[in-house]
Amino acid sequence: MKYDLKNMKGLDIYLSTLNKEEYDVVSAKISGIHKGITPLMSWDIYSDQYFRSLNEAERIQDINQVKSYAKKYNWQDNVESIFEKEVFEAIILTDLSQNIVWVNKGFSKMTGYAKSDVLNKRPGLLQGANTSRTAKSKIRSKLRGSMPFKEIITNYRKNGDPYECEIKIYPLFSNNNKTHFIALERQVG
């Protein structure tokens, strides 16, 4: 029996429900099936790679944006080296007074705050009732230094939901003077 593919509605869905042996039997009977065409079930494989590619493109775009700030502010730090081997969702760039200069899209996805909600505000707006005073004190103390550091802190999304956040903060320098901080953040636990 031959099947006309133009008149077959839902064929891809039907084929995606078959195991390999059933698919081989049915596909041999369908006219117009060409070698190399796979049923809908291949979307799982394709979509995984597709979304990984999108995430990598977004990461590159974020790094390029930070590099443009590096050029603008004449940072002597190699900003690319900050991102090597680092896993992060959000990037926050602040001035020395800790006012937010820029955040990436990952920040908005993680926190629920739009970029316009946080520009010229301090990252403390993410803290709340269960944010450890000890962690906040450690961060304040380490910001006075000149070395990168890591801390885990309880932050809050715009909707009020708490989450544990790993923060890696790097001071940035121009002409041997600290000018900005960059924080790479990700939800943990």
Side-chain angles (χ1 to χ4, degrees), residues 4-18:
D4 179 6
L5 286 179
K6 293 177 185 166
N7 296 319
M8 296 290 292
K9 294 187 178 54
L11 178 62
D12 56 346
I13 294 171
Y14 168 71
L15 291 174
S16 71
T17 65
L18 303 177

Side-chain angles (χ1 to χ4, degrees), residues 50-62 109:
Y50 174 75
F51 288 112
R52 266 192 263 137
S53 296
L54 281 179
N55 289 337
E56 183 59 25
E58 194 169 284
R59 179 182 170 94
I60 291 168
Q61 185 178 19
D62 290 343
K109 288 178 194 173

Side-chain angles (χ1 to χ4, degrees), residues 18-29:
L18 303 177
N19 66 35
K20 182 171 176 9
E21 293 78 27
E22 293 169 329
Y23 174 77
D24 290 341
V25 170
V26 171
S27 67
K29 294 179 181 178

